[in-house]
Amino acid sequence: WAQAILVRAATAASTEFPPRRLVWPSGHLSGAAMQRAKNKKMEIAAIRRELAGERHVSLSRLSGDSGTDEGERRLQLIWQNFRIIDCTKATATVLGTDHPEFCEGKEAASGNSQELFETQLFEAGVAGLALERLSSTHAHYFGSGFERVVGKKLRAFVQDKFVYDEKTGRVKASAKMLNALRRVEARGLVQEQIDYHADVKKRLLTKEREPVKPPPMLPSQTVFDPDQRPRYASTKMQPDELEERGGGFDGKGGGKGLF
């Protein structure tokens, strides 16, 4: 009887579909996964040391060369763990430990996600964007799933921060937020105009006097023109000049003496 049970269990195990996966016990990771987690913690700690004692650090300087795999991974770790201001602009900066609003971990990832979505939705206007579009944009910058980085589902996050339409699946910025973003953009444009006019005025006041330039010289005659007579005096007469003068000797022996 016992042998029949063992045979039946072996047969069921061999014909099971899909086959069972090998699952590690709870709290245990494979050696490669443990090494990757250790390396990630070391990289995050190294980035934090660079932020220590600083208020702002340029994102481009902190991330290094984003054209390499190592630089891209470092940039994604910054997005996931530290707060970035003006995250999609060339002037993006990372808040250092001396900044009063310094944060890290999921709190920083949540702030970066909200600012990233605000930028995208502001450009989209009243039409909004599909939830899948926001998800792909977020994965591009963060390099990981939204829930894993922020600790909250994407749908719940956009419902709390923005206007989400369940029927169309599109996310829109509220009218209040759009107006606020427009005011911020307008203030930035006004400040740019003020800085521009101040720079022009400064350059006009401090304009250096240009040195007096010598008068331009006439170009020398480098091409010989046979029809143009030379400017210097010459005793040689041309045939046309002889005809114009007239009254000269008409030929040999044409002159008459006095006697």
Side-chain angles (χ1 to χ4, degrees), residues 13 18 92 100 122 136 153 165 167 198 209 214 249 253 257 259:
F122 176 69
S136 61
K153 290 186 178 297
D165 191 343
K167 296 181 180 180
R209 182 175 297 178
F249 295 102
F259 302 100

Side-chain angles (χ1 to χ4, degrees), residues 24-42:
W24 291 90
S26 177
H28 294 77
L29 296 174
S30 64
M34 291 179 63
Q35 185 64 31
R36 286 196 299 269
K38 183 178 179 180
N39 293 340
K40 182 178 179 179
K41 290 181 179 180
M42 293 176 61

